[in-house]
């Protein structure tokens, strides 16, 4: 199994995972997504960057929550390293739990339409399509989802 704990996204282990995520996204979508994530955003109130470790303590995945407006937050930089079956679901569940604990009522996210694996993953976990928001508005390659949290 895995352990998950808050981490600074500039820590070397977090950076290695984020680099792997960007490479994987670039291979699927043509963009690594780095422009839509700033480490500084994870240091403010209502933000969280989680690092998951495998049973041996090695970094295995990550995910983040970034405040939007009011009681809404955005999921960012979700990643489970290859060979970590089930970690994506475990990370998502932990991030949803933490978001609810922080008082958020809804989680939003964006992925690229072409990333059908991610689209299926979020649908399978109860996320539903919503209008493209913020920087993703009017971008045909983007698809946005939201989920209401049970608090």
């Amino acid at each position: 199994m895995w352990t998950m704990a808050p981490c600074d996204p500039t820590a070397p282990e977090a950076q290695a995972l984020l680099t792997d995520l960007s490479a994987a996204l670039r291979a699927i979508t043509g963009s690594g997504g780095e422009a839509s994530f700033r480490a500084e955003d994870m240091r403010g109130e209502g933000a969280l960057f989680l690092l998951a470790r495998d049973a041996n303590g090695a970094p295995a995945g990550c995910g983040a929550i970034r405040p939007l407006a009011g009681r809404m937050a955005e999921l960012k930089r979700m990643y489970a390293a290859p060979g970590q079956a089930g970690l994506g679901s475990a990370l998502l569940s932990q991030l949803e739990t933490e978001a609810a604990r922080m008082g958020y009522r809804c989680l939003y996210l964006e992925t690229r339409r072409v990333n059908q694996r991610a689209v299926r993953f979020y649908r399978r976990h109860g996320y539903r399509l919503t209008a493209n928001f913020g920087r993703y508005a009017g971008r045909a390659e983007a698809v946005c989802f939201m989920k209401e949290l049970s608090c």
Side-chain angles (χ1 to χ4, degrees), residues 19 29 32 38 40 43 56 62 64 87 101 108 116 134 143:
T19 297
T29 71
R38 296 175 351 135
E40 308 82 68
R43 295 187 183 110
N56 297 317
C62 60
L87 177 55
R101 185 187 59 74
Y108 288 80
Q116 285 299 301
V143 60

Side-chain angles (χ1 to χ4, degrees), residues 46-48 50 64-67 70-75 91-108 127 147-151:
L48 173 67
L50 278 183
I65 299 169
R66 180 178 71 109
R71 299 176 103 178
M72 299 177 294
E74 181 180 9
L75 284 175
L91 259 170
L92 183 61
S93 177
Q94 186 66 36
L95 286 165
E96 289 173 351
T97 297
E98 293 298 325
R101 185 187 59 74
M102 290 188 283
Y104 292 118
R105 297 284 185 195
C106 295
L107 283 177
Y108 288 80
Y127 285 77
K147 182 177 183 179
E148 291 183 27
L149 302 174
S150 48
C151 300

Side-chain angles (χ1 to χ4, degrees), residues 28-68:
I28 296 166
T29 71
S31 169
E34 298 97 333
S36 67
F37 180 78
R38 296 175 351 135
E40 308 82 68
D41 292 343
M42 297 297 104
R43 295 187 183 110
E45 188 173 332
L48 173 67
F49 185 89
L50 278 183
L51 181 77
R53 295 180 183 279
D54 67 16
N56 297 317
C62 60
I65 299 169
R66 180 178 71 109
L68 290 175

